[in-house]
Amino acid sequence: EAGWFAACGYDCTIRLEFLVCVIDPHAAVYDPLPSGICEMVPYDEENREAFAQTLMDSAEESLDCVALGRWGETENVLAEFQGVGAAERDLWMLLRVAGEDVGCLLLRHHRDTASLEIIYLGVIPSFRRRSLGREAVSFALDQANRLG
């Protein structure tokens, strides 16, 4: 199978591990940082271009999703994520700090297993190491709790 991916231009740079967190349905998980540093802005047609650009920018200097750069135009990136099962755009979030778009969180709800998958989480290089990933994961856990 790895040979097929290599033939399509993909690199094997990481080993993917799936982590599972069992959610207590009675616990509220999402507790924004006291400073309210990050706003989760739902994807919509008005922020489509900003969302796609932030998604591409978040892949810079990262070994995660190295194929993003190979997909070409930023519009193609959104289509590719829809193609891998992240079609529920109401679960796509733009991370915004002080009015600046700094990252993206794409979630996929698996109704058959009552689970929520983080399809992509990325933060632009200049905003990394500021607990934004932690806040995004806390938000995702709260969504998992809400969706059941």
Side-chain angles (χ1 to χ4, degrees), residues 55-72:
L55 187 66
M56 294 295 289
D57 292 346
S58 71
E60 288 180 25
E61 301 174 24
S62 172
L63 292 178
D64 189 29
C65 287
V66 293
L68 282 179
R70 294 186 187 133
W71 288 344

Side-chain angles (χ1 to χ4, degrees), residues 8-10 18-19 21 24 33 35 41 47 59-60 70 78 86 91 102 114 121 136 141-142:
C8 292
Y10 289 92
F18 287 96
L19 305 174
C21 178
D24 176 355
L33 297 176
S35 63
V41 179
N47 66 20
E60 288 180 25
R70 294 186 187 133
L78 296 180
L91 296 174
V102 300
L121 169 57
L141 290 170
D142 188 54

Side-chain angles (χ1 to χ4, degrees), residues 40-62:
M40 300 293 172
V41 179
Y43 171 90
D44 62 26
E45 287 303 315
E46 289 180 18
N47 66 20
R48 178 185 178 89
E49 186 176 319
F51 193 95
Q53 188 59 54
T54 304
L55 187 66
M56 294 295 289
D57 292 346
S58 71
E60 288 180 25
E61 301 174 24
S62 172

Side-chain angles (χ1 to χ4, degrees), residues 52-116:
Q53 188 59 54
T54 304
L55 187 66
M56 294 295 289
D57 292 346
S58 71
E60 288 180 25
E61 301 174 24
S62 172
L63 292 178
D64 189 29
C65 287
V66 293
L68 282 179
R70 294 186 187 133
W71 288 344
E73 299 291 322
T74 55
E75 285 297 314
N76 293 341
V77 173
L78 296 180
E80 289 293 332
F81 273 109
Q82 285 183 289
V84 296
E88 299 175 69
R89 293 185 189 175
D90 58 322
L91 296 174
W92 292 12
M93 297 291 149
L94 191 59
L95 284 64
R96 189 171 284 162
V97 173
E100 185 175 351
D101 300 330
V102 300
C104 295
L105 173 66
L106 283 75
L107 303 171
R108 179 181 181 200
H109 186 207
H110 296 271
R111 288 172 181 79
D112 56 332
T113 59
S115 62
L116 191 69

Side-chain angles (χ1 to χ4, degrees), residues 25-44:
H26 305 291
V29 179
Y30 180 60
D31 185 18
L33 297 176
S35 63
I37 190 171
C38 186
E39 178 185 2
M40 300 293 172
V41 179
Y43 171 90
D44 62 26

